[in-house]
Amino acid sequence: MAFEDTPRSNRLHIGFYGRRNAGKSSLINLLTAQNTALVSEHAGTTTDPVIKSMELLPLGPIAVIDTAGMDDVGDLGALRIARSREMMDRTDLALLVVSAPDAGDLSFEKQWAQEFKERKTPVLGVLNKIDGVAPSDAETLREKLAQTLDIPFIALSAHDKNSRGTLMTGIVQNAPTDFESATLTGDLFNAGDAVVLVMPQDIQAPKGRLILPQVQIIRDILDNKGLALSATAEQFPKLLESLKAPPALVITDSQIFPQVNALLSPDVPLTSFSILMARSKGDLGIFVRGARRIATLKESDKILIAEACTHAPLEEDIGREKLPRWLREKVGQGLTVDIATGLDFPANLNDYALILHCGGCMFTRKQLMSRLIKADAGNVPITNYGVAIAALNGMLERVVAVFGI
């Protein structure tokens, strides 16, 4: 797969934050070695956040985020700042840009540095616009900023092409190494083992192609020297019969857990695409604990179903129709179900007894983890579609046993 084909959700997201005219867009152009971001001497040129995918060795495929100034003003400025705050949840490494001529008042910088620390997001400070500043003075200012904001700082000029090395080195040294799990499946089988994937091709399956989690998991199996064998639900019994030995692992669509499990020996590990994505993007232990909350739901409760993408719902959509129906069949028809899609996520979660989140294949790990942190802060249980379906079918322990949970 070429780097430009890497899904944006799998890229390390590097966000540039700072006041208006601090030089964020110029730094992005320096990093990408091209005019990626619009640059102007007028403050507030960048309005809505802009995301650019690129390749940065040795980090590989990344996405850079250009944001509006954190000191924007007026009603429109407040909206721009709000959009920039949304990007904080997508950011794996934050670059906090400070203009050397304007480095006196650091109130905004202190606030944003603290917010990133609360999110456990690594922050690299960038002292920009040191043109015309004596090297000794620039170094003194850099040290002062690093001490005041309690984050590492580099000093450079975005207009000096020789500064690109300084910027790239700072990014490489401070980028997180665990922004996404190293493997989806590679720790679940040995090289040469057969891994069977059961993939229904129903109305919800895109015509002529596989869905993203299926593609990613097949690639991961191959990368880890496994034998990826796939079948539809109807073909699955015949595929099992053709094997000389039981498969090392079976991965299925969560919606057909009972049918697939009925054909397997209890000692053959079973899980789903959604659960594997949940483990990779979030914290499977949290999702399992959240799924156990289903057993105690009451008809008067309200739950939230959160989808990472904004697809047009089809007939029998898993998030919009099936899960609400299954939950009401178990709890009662009075159960209230709210739907949130894409980046929309309620600021106040305290009204909900449970959150059910999709696999998050269109989210970065940072985005999904930020939602887990928000749910935990509000003491609201959160689970994943696949984990919830397993719980509804009385199979929760069965499908997470392979992970040692």
Side-chain angles (χ1 to χ4, degrees):
M1 179 184 291
F3 83 85
E4 61 267 21
D5 296 327
T6 301
R8 180 166 284 170
S9 58
N10 282 39
R11 295 171 179 266
L12 177 70
H13 281 55
I14 303 173
F16 288 72
Y17 298 84
R19 298 176 188 245
R20 291 174 296 167
N21 243 6
K24 301 182 295 295
S25 299
S26 295
L27 283 170
I28 290 176
N29 290 342
L30 175 68
L31 177 65
T32 61
Q34 54 184 294
N35 292 325
T36 301
L38 179 63
V39 176
S40 170
E41 294 181 357
H42 298 287
T45 300
T46 301
T47 54
D48 286 345
V50 177
I51 304 178
K52 170 69 175 179
S53 299
M54 62 172 291
E55 174 90 351
L56 181 65
L57 298 175
L59 294 176
I62 67 167
V64 292
I65 306 173
D66 190 10
T67 64
M70 62 174 69
D71 61 336
D72 215 333
V73 295
D75 293 340
L76 184 57
L79 293 175
R80 292 171 178 170
I81 293 173
R83 291 296 306 277
S84 295
R85 288 189 184 281
E86 289 178 1
M87 291 298 105
M88 294 175 80
D89 288 338
R90 303 182 68 171
T91 300
D92 299 302
L93 172 65
L95 269 62
L96 189 55
V97 185
V98 179
S99 170
D102 305 308
D105 175 18
L106 298 174
S107 54
F108 285 109
E109 288 78 5
K110 288 179 180 178
Q111 176 185 342
W112 281 58
Q114 182 59 36
E115 289 192 34
F116 279 119
K117 290 177 183 178
E118 291 172 357
R119 285 173 162 81
K120 296 181 172 56
T121 301
V123 186
L124 171 64
V126 181
L127 177 60
N128 190 26
K129 300 186 180 182
I130 61 171
D131 322 60
V133 178
S136 59
D137 293 339
E139 177 60 18
T140 299
L141 181 55
R142 185 196 66 79
E143 292 177 353
K144 177 184 176 182
L145 290 171
Q147 183 177 13
T148 301
L149 299 178
D150 192 27
I151 58 175
F153 253 88
I154 57 175
L156 51 76
S157 169
H159 298 296
D160 180 2
K161 293 181 179 179
N162 294 325
S163 292
R164 186 168 186 264
T166 301
L167 179 59
M168 291 186 65
T169 299
I171 289 174
V172 170
Q173 290 178 345
N174 291 277
T177 57
D178 61 345
F179 72 98
E180 191 150 285
S181 299
T183 181
L184 287 163
T185 64
D187 58 334
L188 305 178
F189 61 86
N190 298 316
D193 283 349
V195 179
V196 173
L197 302 97
V198 188
M199 305 185 294
Q201 300 301 297
D202 53 21
I203 188 174
Q204 296 183 53
K207 186 176 181 179
R209 61 185 176 86
L210 301 175
I211 62 173
L212 183 58
Q214 293 171 349
V215 173
Q216 291 176 323
I217 287 171
I218 290 173
R219 175 58 189 266
D220 190 71
I221 293 169
L222 297 176
D223 285 344
N224 287 282
K225 313 302 181 186
L227 305 178
L229 309 175
S230 60
T232 62
E234 295 75 20
Q235 296 168 329
F236 178 55
K238 187 174 182 179
L239 175 57
L240 281 181
E241 291 175 4
S242 70
L243 297 176
K244 294 181 179 180
L249 175 66
V250 174
I251 304 168
T252 183
D253 185 295
S254 302
Q255 299 177 62
I256 57 172
F257 268 142
Q259 300 95 301
V260 172
N261 186 56
L263 297 171
L264 291 179
S265 168
D267 59 355
V268 175
L270 171 66
T271 192
S272 75
F273 294 97
S274 180
I275 290 175
L276 286 169
M277 296 306 297
R279 183 177 76 133
S280 173
K281 301 282 186 177
D283 186 315
L284 187 55
I286 290 176
F287 287 137
V288 170
R289 289 196 296 273
R292 293 188 174 122
R293 176 70 174 88
I294 293 175
T296 61
L297 286 175
K298 303 185 296 294
E299 189 173 7
S300 58
D301 284 334
K302 179 190 288 189
I303 68 168
L304 174 68
I305 290 183
E307 299 179 334
C309 57
T310 55
H311 66 279
L314 300 173
E315 183 180 354
E316 287 295 276
D317 184 84
I318 180 63
R320 312 292 181 88
E321 297 188 25
K322 289 185 177 180
L323 274 170
R325 181 171 70 243
W326 294 336
L327 286 165
R328 288 184 174 121
E329 288 173 354
K330 180 175 181 60
V331 178
Q333 295 302 311
L335 184 71
T336 301
V337 179
D338 290 346
I339 308 289
T341 62
L343 297 179
D344 293 335
F345 199 64
N348 182 12
L349 299 174
N350 293 329
D351 292 338
Y352 297 105
L354 178 66
I355 301 169
L356 277 75
H357 207 290
C358 69
C361 63
M362 301 306 295
F363 269 9
T364 66
R365 185 171 192 273
K366 183 67 181 180
Q367 279 178 282
L368 190 52
M369 288 300 295
S370 72
R371 292 193 168 182
L372 267 63
I373 291 171
K374 290 175 182 176
D376 181 68
N379 199 28
V380 180
I382 184 169
T383 190
N384 156 274
Y385 283 9
V387 183
I389 292 171
L392 286 165
N393 284 284
M395 295 178 55
L396 181 58
E397 310 307 324
R398 166 78 165 108
V399 300
V400 300
V402 67
F403 309 108
I405 296 178

